[in-house]
Amino acid sequence: MSLPNNFKLNGISIRQKITIILLTIMMSSLVLTGTIYHKKSQEKIEQVVVDHLKTVANNKKNLVHQVIRKHQERVSLISSRTQLRLSINKINMTNDEEVKEKNITKIRNIISDAQAPIKSIRKIDVIAPDLSIIVSTSNQTTTSKVEKAILPENENTYKTSFIRNQMNDSTDLLISEKLYLNSELIGYLILVMDLSDFSIIASNQYGLGSSEETTLVYKNELTGKVMPIYPESLISGYSPGSWVDPFLLSSQRKDDISTYTDHHQQEVLAVAYTFDSIGLGMVYKIDYEDALGVINEQKNFLIISSLITILISGVVALILSRTITQPIIDLTYVAAMIASGDLSRRIQTFSKDELGMLAMSFNQMADKLIDANQVLEERVKEKTKELSKANEGLTKLNKDLERLSLNDSLTGISNRRAFDNRFDVEWKRCNRDGSYLGLVLIDIDFFKKYNDTLGHTAGDLCLKQVGQLLSQSAQRNSDLVARYGGEEFVLLLPNTSIGEVLSVANRLRNAVNSAKIVHPSSPISGFVSISVGVGSEIPAISKPKEDFLERVDVALYESKNKGRNTISTAHKYTE
């Protein structure tokens, strides 16, 4: 039916106004609800992912520090050998070629024995103060000289740097240390390691996503050029400079998450750390989509839901504009409550027309929002559980590393680091208590000949047997048996006088002799024997513990000079 001409409208009709108002109210409520919901969910998920990325990256950083400390301890272990420093000093102080050759042989034996059990050591160099090479485990001649840039300067004891090995197209780690005797510089010790330990750290995956990757680079001190170490694809598969510079990234956002496009042309989340003292940089990253893809899924769901709601709302609004009823009021009220965050609100009254259908659709949309929220929460919980498992694994790994760092991997007894820690504690405690502290240094006689005759596998077994015999002979819980280095062992005996220390030393020597471990190349016996140096004194603040240790070490060498398989007592301390 058509209306008379005088009833024709020249402006916007009430029906159109109601339609516009209804659509505006409904869409405003929907957009506000979706925006608040999406924003809060996104922030929560991003925070969880970012926190766990930082945790994993920080653990990797700590592992790198542990590797550096382990290598420095290896250098210190070698340089602490008294005979090494004495031999270097004799070479520096004499022009007698026979004396020099004799001491060079001693040094070569010491560093060769130190290198043999550690496969990651490429070579060990002993350097004179004039930078010439005295002895090297490689094929370098002593006419070669090293670059001053790789040696510690000023007051620094250590210098750690990276260098490109042109022979096998790989990168090596150089750790150098100053060598002193009586407070005078007598030379340097350089340890050249491969990067297998760093590769293990970089290649470890923690289950955060299939795209997680660790990048290691180092900065050349002379040129300032950034060179890749790991992964190998950075070295051969991409053009120089295509990877991110961790030194630049760390200076911009230190210890924080950054977003950038990596060498795979993927948008990633990354944490960058730099180890400025050694010129090493690390980037731990994961694809943005891999880490936060659930947010995009939620966003797409909200967009689709909004588009469906817009379509339904437009059709229904055109029909509902014919009648103004209570259902419209109910619908507006419920929409406003949902917009305020109360997703439990529903329309209770339905009309038997299109408006009722819209009310049901609106309720269904609210249910889907709740379902979507539950799905999202379930996914967050799953991710949290996965990340918690990864953290548990990291915690266990850290505990295992701490335990391994104090145990000798070959013999199963305590290592040099554990002895150093305990020695310092017992020295201070015995000083406070005014009680004796006993020390026993043990060396397996002619162990190099044992290795040369029976092989390193038999030598390792011999070290295990001797270590177990010494450990079984230490009867008190307060006693500490440790592998001091190579074929040397040490026994720390708190509250033990010199007489008791000698008794323990005799028990140790008799235990080894009674074991009758066959030594076919021993000049003194057909079985493995030990030489022992002992000492005991009440520690005093004026007496450094290193002096006590060195005097017991001298006693050990007295036992060797006496023909071995004997015990010598350290001389008393003199001012």
Side-chain angles (χ1 to χ4, degrees):
M1 179 183 295
S2 61
L3 293 174
N5 291 333
N6 57 336
F7 284 95
K8 294 293 183 181
L9 296 175
N10 295 321
I12 300 175
S13 66
I14 293 177
R15 180 183 300 175
Q16 293 171 333
K17 289 179 180 179
I18 292 174
T19 303
I20 294 172
I21 293 171
L22 180 61
L23 286 173
T24 301
I25 293 173
M26 293 183 65
M27 292 312 304
S28 297
S29 300
L30 181 63
V31 170
L32 180 60
T33 301
T35 300
I36 294 173
Y37 174 73
H38 177 68
K39 182 178 177 64
K40 290 184 177 180
S41 300
Q42 182 178 13
E43 290 175 351
K44 185 176 181 181
I45 296 174
E46 285 182 344
Q47 190 60 47
V48 170
V49 173
V50 166
D51 287 345
H52 285 286
L53 279 174
K54 287 183 178 180
T55 299
V56 173
N58 189 59
N59 275 281
K60 282 180 175 278
K61 179 186 73 172
N62 291 336
L63 290 175
V64 171
H65 279 302
Q66 290 180 17
V67 169
I68 295 299
R69 285 197 297 269
K70 180 178 72 175
H71 292 336
Q72 289 177 345
E73 288 172 0
R74 285 173 175 168
V75 176
S76 297
L77 181 63
I78 299 171
S79 65
S80 65
R81 297 292 295 271
T82 303
Q83 290 302 311
L84 173 68
R85 290 182 278 117
L86 291 175
S87 297
I88 295 172
N89 190 52
K90 289 179 181 178
I91 293 173
N92 293 338
M93 299 298 293
T94 184
N95 292 323
D96 190 332
E97 293 299 323
E98 183 178 348
V99 174
K100 284 187 176 182
E101 187 61 31
K102 179 180 179 181
N103 285 279
I104 285 174
T105 301
K106 287 184 179 179
I107 296 173
R108 181 173 288 109
N109 290 338
I110 291 172
I111 62 177
S112 296
D113 288 345
Q115 180 181 1
I118 304 174
K119 303 304 181 184
S120 57
I121 299 180
R122 293 193 185 278
K123 67 172 182 173
I124 302 174
D125 295 336
V126 179
I127 310 301
D130 63 355
L131 307 187
S132 64
I133 299 176
I134 299 175
V135 182
S136 175
T137 58
S138 71
N139 295 325
Q140 281 183 289
T141 63
T142 55
T143 58
S144 303
K145 284 197 173 185
V146 300
E147 295 292 338
K148 189 174 182 180
I150 67 173
L151 299 175
E153 299 177 346
N154 302 326
E155 299 300 322
N156 296 327
T157 302
Y158 295 97
K159 178 65 178 291
T160 304
S161 56
F162 293 86
I163 188 169
R164 194 69 182 168
N165 190 329
Q166 301 298 331
M167 296 180 64
N168 56 12
D169 196 29
S170 64
T171 303
D172 292 334
L173 174 67
L174 275 70
I175 302 178
S176 57
E177 182 183 6
K178 293 179 179 178
L179 297 175
Y180 290 94
L181 184 65
N182 298 326
S183 302
E184 292 186 4
L185 180 67
I186 60 171
Y188 304 87
L189 183 69
I190 300 179
L191 193 67
V192 182
M193 312 284 298
D194 63 29
L195 302 183
S196 57
D197 290 336
F198 292 101
S199 297
I200 292 172
I201 295 172
S203 61
N204 279 344
Q205 302 291 319
Y206 294 90
L208 298 184
S210 59
S211 61
E212 64 173 316
E213 184 180 69
T214 303
T215 300
L216 290 175
V217 300
Y218 73 94
K219 182 182 289 186
N220 188 294
E221 290 185 21
L222 299 178
T223 64
K225 186 177 180 181
V226 177
M227 301 293 293
I229 297 176
Y230 185 89
E232 292 294 331
S233 58
L234 289 181
I235 303 173
S236 57
Y238 298 91
S239 60
S242 64
W243 56 87
V244 69
D245 183 351
F247 299 95
L248 177 62
L249 191 62
S250 180
S251 65
Q252 293 173 346
R253 301 189 66 179
K254 190 171 183 62
D255 294 344
D256 202 357
I257 293 290
S258 300
T259 304
Y260 69 97
T261 301
D262 70 347
H263 51 277
H264 297 295
Q265 301 304 311
Q266 294 291 327
E267 187 178 13
V268 298
L269 293 174
V271 182
Y273 290 109
T274 57
F275 307 85
D276 297 328
S277 61
I278 61 174
L280 180 67
M282 182 184 78
V283 177
Y284 178 73
K285 64 184 181 67
I286 185 173
D287 288 357
Y288 187 91
E289 183 64 26
D290 197 6
L292 301 174
V294 67
I295 295 178
N296 291 330
E297 293 178 9
Q298 177 201 21
K299 184 177 179 181
N300 293 334
F301 173 79
L302 291 174
I303 291 174
I304 293 173
S305 299
S306 299
L307 291 175
I308 293 174
T309 304
I310 290 172
L311 179 60
I312 296 174
S313 300
V315 174
V316 173
L318 290 174
I319 299 173
L320 289 182
S321 62
R322 295 178 180 270
T323 57
I324 308 301
T325 63
Q326 186 61 37
I328 293 180
I329 299 174
D330 294 341
L331 182 63
T332 303
Y333 172 77
V334 172
M337 294 304 294
I338 291 177
S340 66
D342 186 1
L343 297 178
S344 64
R345 294 286 180 170
R346 297 292 183 274
I347 299 173
Q348 303 297 328
T349 304
F350 299 95
S351 60
K352 296 181 179 180
D353 54 14
E354 292 82 359
L355 186 58
M357 294 175 62
L358 177 60
M360 288 187 290
S361 298
F362 194 89
N363 281 351
Q364 291 174 359
M365 182 197 70
D367 291 337
K368 284 189 176 182
L369 284 175
I370 292 179
D371 292 339
N373 186 49
Q374 292 175 346
V375 170
L376 184 59
E377 288 179 352
E378 297 235 351
R379 291 188 178 180
V380 171
K381 288 180 181 178
E382 289 175 0
K383 282 289 183 181
T384 303
K385 287 181 181 179
E386 292 174 2
L387 294 172
S388 296
K389 289 181 179 179
N391 282 338
E392 290 175 1
L394 288 173
T395 301
K396 184 178 181 300
L397 178 60
N398 285 334
K399 290 181 179 178
D400 291 342
L401 286 174
E402 179 63 22
R403 178 178 56 79
L404 290 174
S405 69
L406 296 176
N407 283 344
D408 180 61
S409 59
L410 176 61
T411 63
I413 62 177
S414 299
N415 61 13
R416 173 68 180 274
R417 181 182 178 189
F419 165 74
D420 289 340
N421 294 342
R422 183 73 172 278
F423 188 27
D424 184 65
V425 171
E426 293 296 343
W427 183 267
K428 294 176 181 177
R429 187 186 65 77
C430 289
N431 169 257
R432 291 194 305 270
D433 298 343
S435 59
Y436 281 94
L437 179 62
L439 187 65
V440 180
L441 279 177
I442 301 157
D443 187 90
I444 299 176
D445 295 330
F446 304 107
F447 185 71
K448 185 177 185 303
K449 292 185 176 183
Y450 188 96
N451 270 341
D452 292 341
T453 303
L454 300 179
H456 289 286
T457 300
D460 289 347
L461 180 59
C462 177
L463 289 173
K464 290 181 183 178
Q465 290 177 289
V466 172
Q468 291 304 313
L469 288 170
L470 298 179
S471 180
Q472 292 166 5
S473 298
Q475 298 177 345
R476 301 180 305 179
N477 292 333
S478 59
D479 298 342
L480 175 70
V481 177
R483 186 181 178 191
Y484 194 67
E487 68 274 18
E488 288 189 340
F489 298 85
V490 64
L491 178 59
L492 191 64
L493 302 169
N495 305 316
T496 309
S497 65
I498 187 61
E500 294 171 320
V501 173
L502 284 170
S503 177
V504 172
N506 277 302
R507 188 166 67 244
L508 298 178
R509 187 169 67 92
N510 291 336
V512 174
N513 288 337
S514 299
K516 295 189 179 300
I517 303 170
V518 177
H519 190 335
S521 56
S522 173
I524 63 173
S525 170
F527 305 101
V528 170
S529 61
I530 59 174
S531 295
V532 185
V534 301
S536 178
E537 68 176 49
I538 299 176
I541 296 300
S542 60
K543 301 177 183 179
K545 62 181 184 298
E546 290 79 11
D547 176 78
F548 179 40
L549 180 62
E550 186 168 343
R551 284 187 282 114
V552 176
D553 189 48
V554 171
L556 172 61
Y557 277 91
E558 286 181 6
S559 294
K560 291 184 177 183
N561 294 332
K562 290 177 182 178
R564 308 185 188 242
N565 193 18
T566 188
I567 301 171
S568 299
T569 305
H571 297 290
K572 293 292 185 179
Y573 178 84
T574 57
E575 297 293 342

